[in-house]
C-alpha cells in the first residue's frame, strides 16, 4: 500500500455529513440566507464581499480566506498537497511527515519545505494551486452546505501561493461541472466503483483509444475503488479522475451502475382494428421507379460526444499563468 493510499479517507463524493449550527456573530454571517442549493457558495460570496479572514467549514471541506480572497482549500475527496508532492517524486513520505511535525506556526509547512531545500518555490506554488482548485470543486458542490466560519483561522501549510479571488474559484468550479456534464450526463459514475470492461465488450472496437490518464485510471481500477479512491491511490487530481471516468463511461470502457442505464421504453400497444370487407379489385397501378434511399451511417447511429482529451490540469495552469502575467 502506498503512502497516498494509506492516507486516503474511506469517502465517496456523496454522503458527507451536513449540519448548520445556529449561532450568533460570525455564524449568522454564514447562515443567513444560504440554505438550499449552492449554500456554501453563497456563504463564501458573502464573506468575500466582507473581506473576511478565516476558515469557512462545510459539509464537503473547508476554504481559507485572507481579506476575502482564497489562500487554501481542502476536502476529503481531493488529494492534499502532501499526496501530490509524494506522487510526483518531489518528497518521500518520511520527508513530508518530518515537515508537518517540525514546521513552525509562523512559516508553516510550505515555508519549511522551501527553507530546507526540499522543494523549489515554483514547484510548491504550482502544486498548491492545483490542489486548491481541486479541493474547491468539491467544497463548492451544489449540495454542499456551510457549517461554521472561524475568524482568523489559518491553514497549517502557511502562506504558499498568491491568494485567488473567490469569484474566480467559483467560476472555475462551475466550468468544471459543465465539463463533466458534457463528457457524460449521469453522475452515478462519480461515487460507484470503477469496473473496467474487456476489450471485446467496448462498442465493437470502435471507441477512441484511451488517453494516458484514462489508462492510469483503468490500471488502478480493481473493481472496488471509486474515482476518489483512485485519485488518492495515484496522487492525481480528483476532478481529472472524475472526468476520465465519465469519458470512459461515454466510450463504454467501464461497466455502468444500474441507475445510470437508460430505462427501456415499452413499445406502444397496437390499436385493435375491426375487419374490413374485401374491396373490389382495383386496376393495376402504374410502375413507379423506386426512390433511392441513402445507406445508414457506418457508425451505426449517433454516439455519445467525447470532448477533447486535453489534461484539465494543463488548461488550468495556462489560465493561472495568464492571470498572473496580467497582474505583473
Amino acid at each position: 500500500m502506498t503512502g497516498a493510499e494509506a492516507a486516503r479517507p474511506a469517502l465517496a463524493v456523496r454522503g458527507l455529513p451536513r449540519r448548520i449550527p445556529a449561532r450568533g456573530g460570525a455564524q449568522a454571517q454564514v447562515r443567513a440566507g444560504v440554505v438550499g442549493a449552492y449554500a456554501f457558495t453563497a456563504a463564501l460570496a458573502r464573506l468575500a464581499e466582507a473581506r473576511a479572514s478565516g476558515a469557512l467549514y462545510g459539509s464537503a471541506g473547508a476554504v481559507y480566506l485572507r481579506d476575502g480572497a482564497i489562500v487554501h482549500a481542502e476536502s476529503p475527496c481531493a488529494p492534499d498537497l502532501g499526496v501530490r508532492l509524494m506522487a510526483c517524486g518531489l518528497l518521500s513520505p518520511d520527508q513530508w511527515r518530518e515537515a508537518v511535525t517540525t514546521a513552525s506556526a509562523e512559516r508553516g509547512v510550505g515555508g519549511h519545505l522551501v527553507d530546507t531545500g526540499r522543494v523549489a518555490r515554483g514547484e510548491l506554488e504550482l502544486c498548491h494551486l492545483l490542489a486548491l482548485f481541486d479541493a474547491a470543486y468539491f467544497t463548492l458542490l451544489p449540495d454542499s452546505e456551510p457549517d461554521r466560519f472561524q475568524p482568523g483561522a489559518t491553514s497549517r501549510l502557511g502562506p504558499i501561493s498568491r491568494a485567488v479571488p473567490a469569484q474566480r474559484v467559483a467560476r472555475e468550479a462551475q466550468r468544471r461541472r459543465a465539463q463533466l456534464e458534457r463528457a457524460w450526463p449521469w453522475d452515478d459514475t462519480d461515487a460507484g466503483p470503477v469496473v473496467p470492461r474487456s476489450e471485446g465488450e467496448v462498442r465493437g472496437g470502435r471507441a477512441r483509444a484511451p488517453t494516458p490518464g484514462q489508462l492510469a485510471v483503468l490500471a488502478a481500477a480493481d473493481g472496488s475503488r471509486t474515482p476518489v479512491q483512485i485519485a488518492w491511490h495515484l496522487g492525481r487530481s480528483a476532478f481529472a479522475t472524475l472526468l476520465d471516468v465519465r469519458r470512459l463511461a461515454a466510450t463504454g470502457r467501464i461497466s455502468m451502475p444500474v441507475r445510470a442505464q437508460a430505462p427501456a421504453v415499452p413499445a406502444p400497444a397496437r390499436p385493435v382494428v375491426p375487419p374490413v370487407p374485401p374491396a373490389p379489385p382495383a386496376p393495376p397501378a402504374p410502375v413507379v421507379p423506386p426512390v433511392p434511399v441513402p445507406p445508414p451511417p457506418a457508425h451505426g447511429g449517433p454516439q455519445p460526444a467525447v470532448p477533447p482529451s486535453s489534461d484539465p490540469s494543463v488548461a488550468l495552469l495556462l489560465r493561472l499563468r495568464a492571470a498572473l502575467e496580467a497582474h505583473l
Side-chain angles (χ1 to χ4, degrees), residues 68-301:
I70 297 178
V71 293
H72 182 60
E74 57 192 24
S75 170
C77 294
D80 58 22
L81 178 63
V83 173
R84 288 173 174 271
L85 292 173
M86 289 185 287
C88 61
L90 292 175
L91 287 180
S92 67
D94 290 338
Q95 290 171 335
W96 173 251
R97 282 192 292 267
E98 185 269 338
V100 171
T101 55
T102 61
S104 63
E106 294 77 14
R107 292 292 292 158
V109 176
H112 177 81
L113 290 173
V114 174
D115 292 344
T116 56
R118 299 291 191 189
V119 182
R121 168 65 65 179
E123 294 172 330
L124 184 66
E125 290 182 358
L126 287 177
C127 285
H128 178 251
L129 284 173
L130 291 173
L132 185 155
F133 278 97
D134 198 30
Y137 166 77
F138 295 97
T139 308
L140 273 65
L141 284 172
D143 59 350
S144 177
E145 296 178 354
D147 187 336
R148 70 188 188 278
F149 176 70
Q150 184 176 348
T154 58
S155 167
R156 64 174 183 173
L157 297 178
I160 295 179
S161 53
R162 290 190 181 187
V164 184
Q167 187 178 12
R168 182 175 300 169
V169 174
R171 285 200 307 266
E172 174 63 17
Q174 183 179 13
R175 186 194 68 82
R176 293 186 175 199
R177 287 192 294 270
Q179 193 174 5
L180 288 175
E181 284 293 314
R182 289 193 301 268
W184 183 249
W186 289 283
D187 63 355
D188 299 70
T189 58
D190 295 350
V194 180
V195 182
R197 301 175 69 188
S198 63
E199 195 64 30
E201 297 176 309
V202 181
R203 298 184 185 270
R206 290 194 293 269
R208 293 187 182 182
T211 65
Q214 293 169 5
L215 288 174
V217 169
L218 290 173
D222 59 358
S224 63
R225 290 187 179 120
T226 66
V228 164
Q229 292 169 337
I230 289 176
W232 278 84
H233 174 74
L234 298 176
R236 68 183 299 233
S237 165
F239 166 75
T241 304
L242 287 179
L243 186 58
D244 280 336
V245 168
R246 289 213 189 187
R247 289 174 175 172
L248 289 169
T251 55
R253 293 190 176 275
I254 61 174
S255 298
M256 298 302 303
V258 176
R259 284 180 51 198
Q261 295 175 354
V265 180
R270 287 186 178 181
V272 178
V273 181
V276 180
V287 178
V288 180
V291 179
V293 179
H299 52 73

Side-chain angles (χ1 to χ4, degrees), residues 21-34 43 46-47 148-149:
R23 295 282 193 275
Q27 299 288 1
Q29 180 75 15
V30 173
R31 191 171 181 270
V34 292
R46 289 174 179 266
L47 293 171
R148 70 188 188 278
F149 176 70

